[in-house]
Amino acid sequence: MIVVLSKGISTHDKEMVRIYLKDRGFAIRDQVLGEDEVIGATGKGVVDLRELGILPGVERVAATSKPYELASRESKTEDTIVTVGGSASQPWSASQPWVKIGGSRITVIAGPCAVESREQILETALRVRESGAVMLRGGAYKPRSSPYAFQGLGMQGLEFMKAAGEATGMPIVTEVVSPEFAAQMNDLTDMFQIGARNMQNFELLKKVGALGKPVLLKRGPSATIEEWLLSAEYLLAAGTRDVVLCERGIRTFETYTRNTLDISAIPVVKGLSHLPVLVDPSHAVGIRAKVSPAALAAIAAGADGLTVEVHPHPDEALSDGPQSLFPEQFERLMRDIEALAPVVGKELLRTPKPSHGGQPSHGSSASAAAGNTVSLRSGAGDDAAEVLSDKVAFSGESGAYAEQALMRAFGEEAPRLGAASFRAVFDAVLDGSAGFGVVPVENSLAGSVHENYDLFFRYPDIAMVGELKLRIVHCLIGDEKAQIENISIVRSHPQGFAQCRDFLDKYPLWQLEACNDTATAVASIAREGATKVAAIAGEAAAKAHGLKVLRAGIETNPLNYTRFVIIARRNGSDRAPVPPSLGSEPANKASLVFSVSDEPGSLFACLKIMSERGINLSKLESRPIQGKPWEYQFYVDVTLPPTEETFDAVVQELKAKTEDFHFLGSYRASL
């Protein structure tokens, strides 16, 4: 049983609740879950829940049917997001990097099975970081089946690993094998790993849990899911609030792989528990060629991330070489994960890389064509500190697709600013009330959102600094008492109607009412309490406004994606900051708009300039210029060349060939 205490409860009232439970035969423990302070009560005590619920300082009582009360989703319905390293309340810094596990982003941890030398762990860290890993793994202490096998370098190895993590801006996770080592290792690691062999070492669990540091708990080779969750309960009951579960394969009769990856455990555990779930495909299959397919299967099944073994020279590894990926294989896997992530409604987590040596960012004359200069290759780095506000603006109400995109890019806890229109988003970024904004610019079915492209012309001080793609899954949403057969009115954005035409055609008597956005349509039903009105929007909007989904997946074409861009104000040095959450990889894509003279070959001449310089066009679209009948402007997305000088030269030539040229921004392309 979980007793959730009211915020600001007095010490006296809290003690009275504790006494009340103890007098009735319960063993109790204090715990913090997210923002809630709770008292966990276990044992064979008997209590009247109604009487307990009205005690001063008690907000609610959650009676769980599971023996793992603190880990159970019955005690906490929302997903836990674990922060590892540093402080998520502070801007990311190389000296105190932090990573979040869980929520709408996929976290990838990588590194060797064991730390073998200073050079080996640093080389590995550099390689996996370059490919997109955000945490470093490696064993300083190695529990091995054979007493003659390599057992690790101990504390020296952990010191090597900590130095490699600091050099690359990655928190580290390493295995603790004995209670006596826990306190000794505490200051050198950001996250403890409890290995599969120690999953039911209860004294170790209690010792590590009491330190309060995040813990990665691997499932034992013969453990049931309930036993696994009970081990997590030990950690939570001992004091830590941050536990991440890790499925690494179980022992079966199969001999073609090292273990059998229990893919079904991922959705089962996520239904039973609020804790995030990672998968270790390396130990699950034990064969290098099988690791990547198993990893992608885990992401498709709903895993919150992966922990993957990577070694620069696997054939020379002192531990688990046959299952360790070469760095080149890991890079391909990361690209595949980035492509798969939007399909499962997630985004690959990126964090900024430390900037060593204080190298200045390079400017580009491309944006000078619009009177501004934006660095094409700038990462997040110090630019993020120049943002006036930490809020991120989006158009619509809570649950809007734009808000979902915002959370993918900035995290679930990002402070948000809802705006009444796309123009209001630009205004908020321009006046500094929001540091960044998220706006849609293109849909895979409906095409470009011309309104927002036009706004870039009206707001030349605003630049594109990021990009992501969101799969749009429409639902029919109504009041808790609503029934689909009683619906007479449906509200949504006009594009929502267009994208669900086949479904709506089945109900020709429904009256369609257009709204500014899909989430506003849902909010209007919640405010009115209407039972005969439904809305077309995403499931997140239904949850945000306390409504229910009457029918899910009603879009005509499931290949429905919207491309969102992140916008920021060009600062005093004519550059635009990049959100730290997007990482520090250099920009590889840019967006331009220009018009040409009305004469034969004028557009061809512009395209030829880019072709001869080896610049690939990923988008070319024409649109009439407002107020100039029969004259057109061209939207162009290009892949940036390896050097800025090449692109600078192209821009100068384009300026000479075009009548109006706008550099909208450069950013890292989203696959």
Side-chain angles (χ1 to χ4, degrees):
M1 178 172 59
I2 303 295
V3 181
V4 182
L5 303 178
S6 302
K7 291 179 174 58
I9 182 175
S10 68
T11 303
H12 174 267
D13 287 345
K14 182 177 179 180
E15 185 60 28
M16 293 304 297
V17 174
R18 292 167 59 89
I19 293 172
Y20 179 92
L21 293 169
K22 286 181 179 179
D23 288 347
R24 285 156 179 78
F26 290 97
I28 64 172
R29 60 194 181 278
D30 295 331
Q31 182 73 20
V32 176
L33 290 178
E35 297 181 354
D36 294 326
E37 185 178 4
V38 307
I39 295 177
T42 57
K44 298 182 179 180
V46 178
V47 67
D48 185 329
L49 295 182
R50 293 171 298 178
E51 182 179 329
L52 175 59
I54 63 174
L55 289 180
V58 174
E59 181 175 317
R60 67 180 188 277
V61 179
T64 63
S65 61
K66 303 293 189 297
Y68 41 88
E69 295 179 348
L70 296 174
S72 172
R73 192 170 284 280
E74 293 179 19
S75 63
K76 184 184 180 188
T77 56
E78 67 274 14
D79 292 337
T80 288
I81 299 176
V82 172
T83 300
V84 182
S87 172
S89 62
Q90 298 296 323
W92 189 99
S93 67
S95 60
Q96 285 193 318
W98 48 264
V99 163
K100 294 186 178 181
I101 302 175
S104 61
R105 289 184 285 182
I106 297 169
T107 303
V108 178
I109 305 169
C113 176
V115 181
E116 301 167 0
S117 67
R118 183 192 301 272
E119 293 74 23
Q120 171 251 11
I121 188 63
L122 180 58
E123 180 182 358
T124 307
L126 290 169
R127 297 293 296 273
V128 300
R129 184 64 160 129
E130 186 63 29
S131 297
V134 294
M135 281 186 64
L136 179 65
R137 55 153 294 152
Y141 294 94
K142 296 298 300 178
R144 305 297 297 277
S145 299
S146 169
Y148 309 112
F150 177 63
Q151 306 288 319
L153 298 179
M155 289 301 295
Q156 183 185 46
L158 186 53
E159 290 171 358
F160 291 162
M161 188 176 175
K162 182 66 173 176
E166 290 176 348
T168 53
M170 290 190 288
I172 67 171
V173 54
T174 192
E175 184 171 358
V176 55
V177 298
S178 171
E180 65 189 71
F181 294 154
Q184 185 181 9
M185 298 170 64
N186 191 43
D187 291 337
L188 288 175
T189 188
D190 298 294
M191 184 181 206
F192 284 109
Q193 175 183 304
I194 302 294
R197 292 177 176 86
N198 276 311
M199 189 204 82
Q200 290 184 308
N201 184 339
F202 302 123
E203 293 306 313
L204 177 62
L205 295 174
K206 288 187 284 187
K207 180 69 173 180
V208 171
L211 293 174
K213 187 156 282 187
V215 182
L216 180 68
L217 176 65
K218 288 197 168 185
R219 182 183 181 184
S222 302
T224 65
I225 288 175
E226 183 163 299
E227 290 169 338
W228 186 20
L229 290 172
L230 282 168
S231 291
E233 191 77 4
Y234 264 94
L235 293 165
L236 293 168
T240 185
R241 69 177 71 176
D242 294 323
V243 176
V244 177
L245 302 170
C246 182
E247 167 62 47
R248 45 79 71 198
I250 55 176
R251 182 171 294 175
T252 67
F253 294 106
E254 186 53 67
T255 59
Y256 278 93
T257 55
R258 179 175 181 174
N259 295 292
T260 298
L261 177 57
D262 186 3
I263 285 286
S264 64
I266 302 168
V268 169
V269 170
K270 290 185 78 67
L272 294 172
S273 175
H274 55 86
L275 300 175
V277 180
L278 300 187
V279 168
D280 178 351
S282 303
H283 283 89
V285 296
I287 302 169
R288 185 179 303 126
K290 312 297 182 187
V291 169
S292 291
L296 295 173
I299 297 302
D304 294 297
L306 304 168
T307 174
V308 184
E309 290 192 351
V310 182
H311 195 290
H313 311 286
D315 296 337
E316 302 172 11
L318 300 179
S319 177
D320 285 348
Q323 68 189 35
S324 298
L325 296 182
F326 287 93
E328 296 80 9
Q329 292 175 307
F330 179 69
E331 181 180 8
R332 287 196 295 271
L333 172 61
M334 292 298 290
R335 291 182 180 275
D336 289 341
I337 294 171
E338 190 171 15
L340 176 61
V343 178
V344 296
K346 295 192 175 185
E347 189 80 9
L348 182 63
L349 175 66
R350 304 172 182 85
T351 58
K353 299 174 185 176
S355 177
H356 300 292
Q359 296 177 352
S361 300
H362 302 292
S364 170
S365 62
S367 57
N372 297 286
T373 301
V374 179
S375 172
L376 297 180
R377 308 295 179 181
S378 62
D382 297 330
D383 292 336
E386 299 171 2
V387 178
L388 297 180
S389 170
D390 60 353
K391 292 183 179 179
V392 186
F394 70 98
S395 177
E397 301 197 38
S398 183
Y401 287 114
E403 186 184 38
Q404 296 176 48
L406 182 159
M407 291 189 290
R408 297 269 185 86
F410 295 87
E412 280 77 359
E413 296 87 0
R416 310 194 260 285
L417 177 65
S421 64
F422 295 139
R423 182 167 185 169
V425 174
F426 278 74
D427 284 333
V429 174
L430 187 66
D431 65 25
S433 56
F436 298 98
V438 177
V439 295
V441 293
E442 188 175 10
N443 179 265
S444 59
L445 304 180
S448 295
V449 183
H450 295 122
E451 177 183 353
N452 284 330
Y453 276 109
D454 290 343
L455 286 170
F456 281 104
F457 299 151
R458 299 176 189 172
Y459 294 78
D461 289 331
I462 300 294
M464 297 180 180
V465 297
E467 175 190 72
L468 71 156
K469 298 182 179 72
L470 182 74
R471 185 183 176 195
I472 304 300
V473 179
H474 287 307
C475 302
L476 187 70
I477 297 167
D479 185 84
E480 282 292 333
K481 299 178 182 179
Q483 300 294 327
I484 193 168
E485 56 269 20
N486 296 328
I487 297 300
S488 59
I489 298 173
V490 177
R491 297 170 181 165
S492 189
H493 187 276
Q495 284 198 6
F497 294 141
Q499 293 166 10
C500 301
R501 178 49 56 192
D502 285 0
F503 173 78
L504 292 173
D505 284 346
K506 299 176 183 178
Y507 301 91
L509 298 181
W510 284 355
Q511 179 182 342
L512 305 184
E513 294 183 356
C515 297
N516 287 338
D517 59 83
T518 56
T520 297
V522 175
S524 69
I525 296 174
R527 285 191 291 266
E528 297 168 11
T531 59
K532 295 185 178 181
V533 182
I536 293 176
E539 184 179 2
K543 292 181 178 179
H545 298 282
L547 302 185
K548 72 175 180 180
V549 174
L550 302 175
R551 188 73 58 82
I554 63 173
E555 66 275 8
T556 301
N557 190 334
L559 299 178
N560 185 4
Y561 292 83
T562 293
R563 175 183 165 223
F564 289 85
V565 294
I566 298 168
I567 61 174
R569 191 180 73 185
R570 307 180 200 265
N571 57 32
S573 60
D574 290 333
R575 296 172 55 202
V578 180
S581 56
L582 297 185
S584 56
E585 289 85 357
N588 60 5
K589 185 176 179 181
S591 294
L592 320 170
V593 178
F594 57 80
S595 58
V596 297
S597 58
D598 185 12
E599 58 185 52
S602 57
L603 176 60
F604 173 78
C606 295
L607 300 181
K608 183 180 179 182
I609 291 171
M610 289 182 273
S611 175
E612 290 177 343
R613 299 279 185 161
I615 293 179
N616 182 53
L617 273 68
S618 56
K619 175 179 179 176
L620 175 62
E621 180 181 356
S622 65
R623 181 163 178 252
I625 300 175
Q626 294 183 4
K628 296 182 178 181
W630 320 121
E631 294 187 29
Y632 298 86
Q633 58 195 11
F634 297 91
Y635 302 155
V636 179
D637 290 343
V638 300
T639 301
L640 291 176
T643 63
E644 292 185 32
E645 291 76 12
T646 299
F647 193 69
D648 288 344
V650 167
V651 167
Q652 294 304 319
E653 291 187 53
L654 285 175
K655 288 168 60 181
K657 291 288 185 181
T658 58
E659 294 189 342
D660 193 13
F661 184 95
H662 296 267
F663 180 79
L664 302 186
S666 60
Y667 43 89
R668 188 73 182 175
S670 174
L671 297 180

